[in-house]
Amino acid sequence: MATDVSTAAPTAELPSAGRRRLPPELSILGVMVGMMLLFEALGWIFVGQSFIVNPLRLRIMILQEAEIGIIAVGVTQVIIMGGIDLSSGSVVGMTAMVAASLAQVAGYTHAIYPGLTGLNPIFPVAAGLLCGLVAGLINGSLIAYTKIPPFIATLGMMVSARGVADWYTNGQPIGNLTDAFAAIGAGWWPVIIFLGVAFIFHIALRYTRYGKFTYAIGANPLAARVSGINVERHMILVYAIAGLLSGLCGVVHTARAISGQAGVGVGFELDAIAAAVIGGTSLSGGVGRMTGTVIGAVILGILTSGFTFLNVDAHYQEIIKGGVIVAAVIADQYRQRRRKSA
């Protein structure tokens, strides 16, 4: 059967005939600007300082959210396809330990692998990426061939990957990493990597068969299968990419922190899902844009940085962040109902 998915992509991604529609990212961008102005006003009222005109604060915020953003790029594709990935944070912790163990300085007597110290950074980076890729392949294969819900499959991987991270060195951190490896996370490199990855997959989703297949499966898996798409193979591919990007995040974080920590990545998966949903990706599948996810990640960063700037207790920050996520999901459900009734 010939593969024709030109009509399988969700109608929400295509402009209506006869009239131009504004990009959905504009409304999300407006929310972002509004939040920045709100924190700016509150800063002058309660702190007596500017929130926006503070290069150091903005730099820290952007660097922190760049790591979440790398994961969110993969998670967005999974959600567009109609799945979910709860394992990405734990995969970050697992890959961080594996990469760090192969990036220790030459001659370090207490190295994890004394015979493998002083390696070229290519080797720890490749090991971390491979670790994430394998985790993603396992997730995708379980979901595609055993038909278990993505929630259960990735929840199992979340627990298992965190267990591997803790087991690897009995929970002990890994330090004494080479300068060449640490350079990967230095300066603005995490942001450059995040934006580069987001751009690549923005192009892939919008202009390639890979993107058409992803949207088609998320919109209607049965119709996608009838149109000739190998649904199982594509599911494995999308989850493998998500795992690979989680591994990349683990490598970048380890290089930036110049140490491997088994507990790193806790909660990253929820922030990544939140960035995607806030950015307009529908949890029902078939709808979403990478540009929206980038803006969603920035919004999360503004929230965290703004509350810290205002000295809001960390517990209240989590409560408010949870409310924002729920509000984003409610807005998504409202959009879905309007789309179906149109």
Side-chain angles (χ1 to χ4, degrees):
M1 180 182 294
T3 302
D4 183 5
V5 294
S6 58
T7 60
T11 56
E13 293 297 316
L14 301 174
S16 300
R19 64 188 179 97
R20 293 187 62 183
R21 298 180 61 182
L22 294 176
E25 292 85 352
L26 282 181
S27 60
I28 308 168
L29 191 61
V31 171
M32 184 189 78
V33 173
M35 287 179 55
M36 292 187 69
L37 294 176
L38 175 62
F39 281 122
E40 177 72 8
L42 293 175
W44 285 113
I45 294 172
F46 295 105
V47 185
Q49 297 180 15
S50 171
F51 173 71
I52 298 175
V53 188
N54 191 316
L56 179 59
R57 181 181 298 110
L58 293 178
R59 174 189 172 91
I60 293 173
M61 178 192 76
I62 293 171
L63 287 173
Q64 289 176 338
E65 290 309 311
E67 296 177 11
I68 299 298
I70 293 172
I71 303 175
V73 170
V75 169
T76 296
Q77 297 172 77
V78 168
I79 297 176
I80 289 173
M81 191 182 62
I84 197 73
D85 188 356
L86 300 178
S87 67
S88 52
S90 295
V91 173
V92 168
M94 178 174 65
T95 57
M97 299 301 284
V98 171
S101 67
L102 296 174
Q104 294 183 290
V105 297
Y108 181 49
T109 55
H110 298 290
I112 304 299
Y113 301 111
L116 296 175
T117 57
L119 295 176
N120 187 294
I122 291 176
F123 293 100
V125 170
L129 294 179
L130 179 62
C131 190
L133 179 63
V134 169
L137 286 171
I138 293 173
N139 281 336
S141 298
L142 286 173
I143 294 164
Y145 294 123
T146 68
K147 306 303 180 184
I148 62 177
F151 181 91
I152 300 301
T154 58
L155 179 64
M157 178 57 70
M158 179 181 76
V159 177
S160 298
R162 186 63 64 187
V164 171
D166 290 330
W167 160 81
Y168 198 72
T169 60
N170 293 319
Q172 297 301 311
I174 302 175
N176 290 279
L177 308 188
T178 65
D179 292 338
F181 179 79
I184 298 171
W188 290 101
W189 274 111
V191 179
I192 294 171
I193 292 171
F194 163 46
L195 294 179
V197 167
F199 177 76
I200 290 170
F201 286 102
H202 169 73
I203 298 299
L205 285 176
R206 296 287 293 172
Y207 304 110
T208 70
R209 291 178 60 187
Y210 168 81
K212 290 180 179 180
F213 287 5
T214 303
Y215 282 113
I217 294 171
N220 191 325
L222 180 59
R225 191 183 304 277
V226 170
S227 69
I229 298 174
N230 188 325
V231 175
E232 287 76 19
R233 185 172 64 188
H234 195 78
M235 280 185 177
I236 295 173
L237 175 60
V238 173
Y239 275 99
I241 289 173
L244 183 70
L245 293 177
S246 295
L248 177 60
C249 177
V251 170
V252 171
H253 179 89
T254 303
R256 183 167 171 247
I258 321 181
S259 68
Q261 304 281 344
V264 72
V266 174
F268 277 22
E269 64 279 347
L270 299 182
D271 284 345
I273 293 171
V277 174
I278 291 172
T281 301
S282 174
L283 289 172
S284 301
V287 177
R289 293 172 183 255
M290 202 57 67
T291 47
T293 296
V294 172
I295 299 172
V298 175
I299 288 176
L300 279 180
I302 292 172
L303 273 176
T304 303
S305 181
F307 288 137
T308 303
F309 170 62
L310 296 175
N311 298 315
V312 176
D313 186 272
H315 299 94
Y316 295 127
Q317 292 187 32
E318 294 300 318
I319 293 171
I320 296 171
K321 186 186 293 184
V324 171
I325 296 171
V326 171
V329 174
I330 292 174
D332 170 57
Q333 294 299 311
Y334 175 72
R335 288 194 299 267
Q336 293 295 325
R337 287 195 295 270
R338 284 189 59 187
R339 189 176 294 116
K340 289 178 181 179
S341 62

